[in-house]
Every structure is written in C-alpha cells, then in structure tokens.
Amino acid sequence: MSMLINVAEEPVHLRAAGTLWLPQFSTLVVSDLHLEKGSAYAVGGQLLPPYDTRDTLERLATEIRALNPQRLVLLGDSLHDMDAVNRVARDDADAIRQLARSLELVWIRGNHDPDGGAAFGGQSIETLNLGRLKLCHEPKPVQVFGEIAGHLHPCAKLRGSGVTIRRRCFITDGQRLILPAFGSYTGGLNVRDEAFSDLFSSQPDVFITGRKIARLKFEQLSPDRDHTIKRHRLLQ
C-alpha cells in the first residue's frame, strides 16, 4: 500500500491511494481535491454526476482511518472555486468540519482557492515547513530543496504489449516531490510535458498509484500524442 523513499533526506511514504504519509510528523498530505468540481461544471451547463465531493471525502476518510494522523495537510486547490463553500451538501460540509475538530487541519492556499477552506475550520496558510520539507501548492520555477507540492496533477503513460496504461503518479528526483491530484474529477498532466522539464536537477523517478504503488523510470514513459493541448486546459 505504500513505498518508503527519501526526499531532502527525510523519509516519506508514498501511498497507493495517492497520499503522502509523514510518520515522523504524524502528518497525512493530500493534494488537489477540487471539491465541488462537478457542481461548478453544472453551473456552466456541463452536467456530471454530482458525487465527486462525497467520493473524494470517503477515500480521504479511508486513508485517515488507516493511518490515524494528528495532522492533515491539504496542498491547495482543495476547493474547485471559492463559491464551492456554498455548494457543498450539508452532510459533506459536516464531514469536513468534523475533520477540523478531530485533527489539526491545514489548508495550503491554491490558485483555485486563494482563501483556502478555513470556512469549514482549520488553518489557512501559504506554506508549511516540517523538518527539511517545505509544503506548498505550486512548484517554484527554481530548485527548492525539500519542496513538496501539487498543482500539476502529474500523470504517467506507459505502453507495452499492445496495452496503454495511464495513471496518476508521484514524481521526484529526491530533492523535491510533486503529488498526484486526489480529487475524483481531477485530470492529469503527462510528466513528459514541458511543464515538468525544468523542475528537477536530475532525471526523476515516477511512482504510479492505483491498487498498489510501482516505481517506473522516466525513460520508460510515453508522451501524449497531442502536444497542442494547452497546460491550463489540462489543469482546469
């Protein structure tokens, strides 16, 4: 269910569910929930099943039960937009408030939710330092030792034996780590995209998520065929 690696000389556990476990800080880290993305699309006339928030919170609750953390850090874009606070179903809002009561809930501010989700309880901040690790939403354009970020929704594509597999993934060079998006309706950006090209000091490793976590070498991965897709569209 998890794989132990080092980032900035700190041990971190990459979970098959796409979460990060830091036992030395009793901290669970999750990125890019994009709660209420389905209802945001419905407002624009694009109808999706309105259950993404419920599904995302249930999967998050499974991780919390498994690990019993003292602290939960949400790495930004936890809400798809700031009006999501008003669209969340009552039971889901109560579940989020219960998280804030039962553990230390930290909302890292993202580009979709610049005020974080502190309306539900917890603390809204820009960054959080834990030992050598620096937790934030968007990777800096320069090398940052120990940076743990989200935002890019990394995804790996692997071809072989007539089958193509595309999975959400972690990507790291041991100096910094980018988490996969956790939200049910979040898309993915291929790690072979140029958006990742300047973020690592050496060729990174990729860890795909799913029923189990597996390590892949970067050169094993395939780019997407359509290189004309704009990065901002993939991250909406």
Side-chain angles (χ1 to χ4, degrees):
M1 292 292 290
S2 67
M3 185 175 293
L4 174 63
I5 66 169
N6 287 323
V7 175
E9 302 173 2
E10 290 277 6
V12 305
H13 294 252
L14 311 181
R15 300 272 298 171
T19 65
L20 180 69
W21 173 231
L22 308 174
Q24 67 273 40
F25 304 111
S26 191
T27 296
L28 177 64
V29 185
V30 186
S31 188
D32 293 273
L33 304 183
H34 282 267
L35 300 178
E36 292 304 306
K37 182 173 182 177
S39 63
Y41 273 47
V43 170
Q46 187 174 348
L47 299 182
L48 294 171
Y51 308 118
D52 56 306
T53 294
R54 180 69 50 85
D55 179 72
T56 299
L57 292 176
E58 287 178 352
R59 290 186 292 110
L60 180 58
T62 297
E63 288 293 279
I64 292 172
R65 286 193 296 270
L67 298 168
N68 192 29
Q70 294 180 9
R71 181 190 294 118
L72 172 63
V73 179
L74 304 177
L75 278 188
D77 287 359
S78 304
L79 307 178
H80 189 65
D81 56 73
M82 287 311 302
D83 191 53
V85 171
N86 301 314
R87 299 196 307 272
V88 175
R90 179 178 297 177
D91 288 350
D92 296 333
D94 288 344
I96 300 171
R97 294 188 182 100
Q98 179 58 36
L99 285 177
R101 290 191 292 266
S102 61
L103 45 67
E104 180 185 346
L105 180 58
V106 178
W107 305 82
I108 301 294
R109 299 175 193 133
N111 55 296
H112 278 253
D113 54 355
D115 293 334
F120 295 109
Q123 179 185 17
S124 175
I125 58 177
E126 291 289 337
T127 61
L128 176 66
N129 294 333
L130 295 175
R132 297 181 181 89
L133 303 178
K134 303 171 179 64
L135 281 62
C136 63
H137 175 60
E138 186 172 356
K140 304 296 186 296
V142 296
Q143 296 297 323
V144 179
F145 183 73
E147 184 181 75
I148 305 290
H151 180 65
L152 291 178
H153 303 195
C155 185
K157 185 176 182 179
L158 182 66
R159 288 182 177 147
S161 303
V163 177
T164 298
I165 298 173
R166 186 182 178 91
R167 297 275 181 83
R168 301 181 189 195
C169 66
F170 298 88
I171 181 169
T172 180
D173 61 353
Q175 307 296 308
R176 75 190 329 169
L177 171 69
I178 300 176
L179 271 63
F182 190 77
S184 297
Y185 283 173
T186 49
L189 181 65
N190 193 307
V191 294
R192 298 296 296 265
D193 188 273
E194 63 180 8
F196 293 93
S197 60
D198 296 327
L199 294 180
F200 301 101
S201 58
S202 59
Q203 187 163 280
D205 285 323
V206 167
F207 300 82
I208 60 172
T209 64
R211 297 176 69 179
K212 62 179 182 179
I213 192 158
R215 184 175 193 159
L216 299 175
K217 293 183 178 180
F218 193 78
E219 59 266 23
Q220 294 178 271
L221 305 177
S222 300
D224 289 329
R225 290 181 180 179
D226 188 355
H227 295 285
T228 66
I229 297 177
K230 300 299 183 182
R231 173 182 167 192
H232 76 273
R233 291 184 60 192
L234 289 170
L235 298 182
Q236 287 177 348

